[in-house]
Amino acid sequence: MTDVRVAGVGLTPFGSHPERTGRDLFAEAALRAFEDAAVDRSDVEELNYGNFMGALAEHQGHQAPLMAEAAGVRCPATRYESACASAGVAVREAVRTVAAGDADVVLAGGMERMTNLPTDEVTEGLAIAADDLFEVRAGVTFPGAYALMANAYFDAYGGTREDLAHVASKNHANAVSNEYAQYREEVSVAEALDAPPVAEPLHLYDACPITDGASALVLVSEEYAAEHDLDASVAVTGTGQGTDRMALGDREHLARTPAADDAADAAYADAGVGASDVDVAEVHDCFTIAEVLALESLGLFEPGEGIAAAREGTTTADGDLPVNLSGGLKAKGHPVGATGGSQIAELTRLLRGDHPNSGHVPDAEVGVAHNAGGTVASAVVHVLEVAE
Amino acid sequence: MSDDGGDASPPADRDHAEWLDALADGEGFALVCPAGHGSLPPRRVCPECGSPDLSREPLAEAGTVETYSVVHVPSPRFADDAPYATAVVDFGPTRLTGIVRDGDETDGPPAVDVGDAVAVEVGERATDDERLVVFRPAGGE
Ligand SMILES: [Zn+2]
């Protein structure tokens, strides 16, 4: 087993690019990642690429060879699909491949193109991450599923819409300085509370936007980094994945996410760290309630206590444990199949010290990234550490 | 949608259509393994423990709402149904997910709360007449 280093990261600006092809978006992210890494692209031995709904959005299946062309690499290329965790699983397989010594250089990331579709078709497209027979046909939308989890949480532990509005307001504030973020304006708690309902108790500002974008990471072995004298100070030291029953109604608990518990346990064990070691986190806040559930699955808060974290200031930029300093999916945007890679890119920049919000975590050494698919039937957790 | 007395559901989803037929006849069931895990068809094995020994067990007469949401922004297939109340309901061997209706949706969906008792039946989407799982407030009407 070798240490896996993040040699370079690249993102497109997240936002609305309805006229741009998916291959152009991924090409931009990959180009930026190679520039950041100073790695020769001919050394890339595998491409792991995440994408969720390209067949719907672009009438384009079999995207991996296309993205290898776009990135200018010639190597085995595979598309990974796990709904909103598509890039998370793509990165995880890249980490495992390098850690096992099967490759020294892997390009990993993802892309999603969404804004070229009308909103109702995006709603329909996202819904297919749920069980078609027993959820989608029963009227469950993507926001609707998280709304069911939010009301189950309120019933089990307490909490209010105002608590969730604090999560939204915090993440919007964090996005203001992030040049890659889709929404760089602050949103007050009052504005979030006043927004129209999507699926009660979730309103407009509880939901992430519809986003186009791509992410790319150049992951290398510690030996390769040393041989090539790379500036690759951040290591991926732990990876974990969990799977749960597909339909929310079949889960053990409607207000918890056991797949993410499993992913976190495995990632911490892999890294040899515990939740108490974590200095900074990027978590999958597709909806505000999802951030709460993520914090509890990661062991950063006890069940029932994550709901107050943003309101009490623990997870704000100046709090003890800043969460989603990138702006999160909520404000940075959520190009579904790119998100898991973008979280690692943001966390890497935060730990390297070259993120606009790095000043909030100057001494951070351990970061955790949490990426979820569907209503967390899939979850991937990664631990990143400053290695030198 | 076909309406010539035939099966309106896509043939690819035979087992689901049969399950809806049973539900519509008041004979809703879950598949239950010897360990007591409930699931819904089609199943070859229990999704929790892998047992192939599955028997059909009737759903409880009344279910209990475990969580709910009023959906204001629907998918296209529910465009004419919104706003509607969706709920996850415990029916003993398994939970079901569906829409809560009280027969008069002119003023929007009925008020729903966790712990409410509901019965289950098969209804139709307003948007396209496709069949779906419908919960009725118990003792209502
Ligand atoms: Zn079983």
Side-chain angles (χ1 to χ4, degrees):
Chain A
M1 297 288 282
T2 181
D3 220 16
V4 180
R5 296 297 180 87
V6 185
V9 303
L11 299 172
T12 65
F14 282 9
S16 181
H17 309 289
E19 75 295 348
R20 288 182 61 185
T21 56
R23 63 190 87 183
D24 181 51
L25 291 167
F26 189 71
E28 180 186 349
L31 193 61
R32 205 162 269 147
F34 280 120
E35 282 170 4
D36 187 40
V39 164
D40 188 339
R41 69 188 66 218
S42 66
D43 284 350
V44 175
E45 294 168 78
E46 291 190 23
L47 167 59
N48 292 1
Y49 166 79
N51 174 260
F52 172 53
M53 50 188 280
L56 291 171
E58 292 201 287
H59 299 285
Q60 183 66 66
H62 201 191
Q63 292 197 2
L66 198 60
M67 298 307 163
E69 288 178 29
V73 298
R74 178 71 67 95
C75 60
T78 308
R79 172 192 162 193
Y80 289 79
E81 190 274 307
S82 267
C84 315
S86 295
V89 294
V91 170
R92 172 172 154 78
E93 289 312 310
V95 168
R96 281 149 54 102
T97 298
V98 174
D102 289 339
D104 279 312
V105 183
V106 177
L107 179 64
M111 184 284 298
E112 207 71 61
R113 189 175 173 199
M114 305 175 75
T115 69
N116 59 317
L117 295 174
T119 301
D120 61 349
E121 287 184 30
V122 175
T123 303
E124 178 90 344
L126 291 173
I128 68 172
D131 183 328
D132 182 60
L133 291 182
F134 293 102
E135 294 190 295
V136 181
R137 293 183 192 202
V140 175
T141 62
F142 190 41
Y146 274 92
L148 291 169
M149 297 167 86
N151 269 338
Y153 187 100
F154 290 168
D155 183 63
Y157 303 118
T160 63
R161 278 195 59 220
E162 187 167 347
D163 292 324
L164 297 179
H166 278 276
V167 176
S169 182
K170 166 181 77 73
N171 292 350
H172 275 277
N174 288 344
V176 170
S177 62
N178 187 352
E179 70 272 33
Y180 293 105
Q182 183 166 7
Y183 289 111
R184 301 181 63 185
E185 301 91 33
E186 299 216 27
V187 171
S188 70
V189 169
E191 284 173 293
L193 286 170
D194 284 346
V198 176
E200 295 175 50
L202 304 180
H203 290 231
L204 188 62
Y205 282 116
D206 289 298
C208 65
I210 294 167
T211 310
D212 307 308
S215 63
L217 313 171
V218 180
L219 300 176
V220 304
S221 65
E222 185 179 15
E223 293 77 13
Y224 181 95
E227 275 167 33
H228 293 79
D229 200 22
L230 299 182
D231 180 9
S233 60
V234 172
V236 183
T237 56
T239 177
Q241 184 172 352
T243 299
D244 203 341
R245 295 286 297 279
M246 179 78 159
L248 179 61
D250 291 333
R251 307 268 173 80
E252 194 176 338
H253 198 306
L254 299 177
R256 297 178 65 175
T257 52
D261 295 11
D262 293 346
D265 289 347
Y268 289 145
D270 193 24
V273 303
S276 59
D277 297 312
V278 173
D279 299 312
V280 58
E282 287 287 314
V283 308
H284 196 94
D285 59 330
C286 50
F287 298 93
T288 48
I289 185 65
E291 175 167 314
V292 175
L293 299 171
L295 295 179
E296 296 179 3
S297 282
L298 290 168
L300 303 173
F301 292 84
E302 292 297 314
E305 294 181 4
I307 187 76
R311 176 169 50 79
E312 292 177 348
T314 316
T315 52
T316 54
D318 296 319
D320 290 341
L321 178 63
V323 172
N324 284 327
L325 279 173
S326 67
L329 285 57
K330 187 57 213 74
K332 192 184 74 174
H334 182 28
V336 170
T339 285
S342 76
Q343 293 175 315
I344 308 278
E346 297 282 17
L347 205 50
T348 299
R349 296 165 69 215
L350 285 162
L351 291 173
R352 289 194 311 209
D354 61 331
H355 192 284
N357 280 331
S358 285
H360 293 290
V361 283
D363 303 318
E365 296 198 341
V366 179
V368 65
H370 158 284
N371 183 206
T375 51
V376 204
S378 293
V380 183
V381 171
H382 283 101
V383 176
L384 274 63
E385 295 185 67
V386 177
E388 54 195 44
Chain B
M1 302 303 109
S2 155
D3 58 354
D4 48 12
D7 181 354
S9 295
D13 302 321
R14 176 192 64 191
D15 304 274
H16 182 249
E18 287 177 5
W19 179 79
L20 278 177
D21 289 343
L23 198 60
D25 293 341
E27 295 169 358
F29 64 90
L31 301 173
V32 181
C33 77
H37 303 130
S39 61
L40 297 171
R43 297 285 176 191
R44 299 294 175 112
V45 300
C46 169
E48 289 295 330
C49 70
S51 170
D53 188 10
L54 302 177
S55 60
R56 289 188 176 193
E57 302 290 339
L59 300 173
E61 287 267 315
T64 307
V65 173
E66 293 206 9
T67 187
Y68 66 95
S69 170
V70 175
V71 176
H72 293 265
V73 180
S75 75
R77 291 190 272 182
F78 284 81
D80 298 339
D81 292 85
Y84 58 88
T86 183
V88 177
V89 179
D90 183 8
F91 275 94
T94 190
R95 298 190 189 106
L96 299 182
T97 302
I99 288 183
V100 187
R101 290 180 179 163
D102 62 2
D104 177 13
E105 267 56 58
T106 48
D107 293 330
V112 184
D113 208 348
V114 174
D116 284 0
V118 295
V120 62
E121 60 187 46
V122 173
E124 292 180 347
R125 283 204 292 252
T127 308
D128 61 4
D129 299 336
E130 273 288 330
R131 296 192 296 174
L132 83 170
V133 174
V134 168
F135 304 123
R136 296 277 181 188
E141 306 185 53

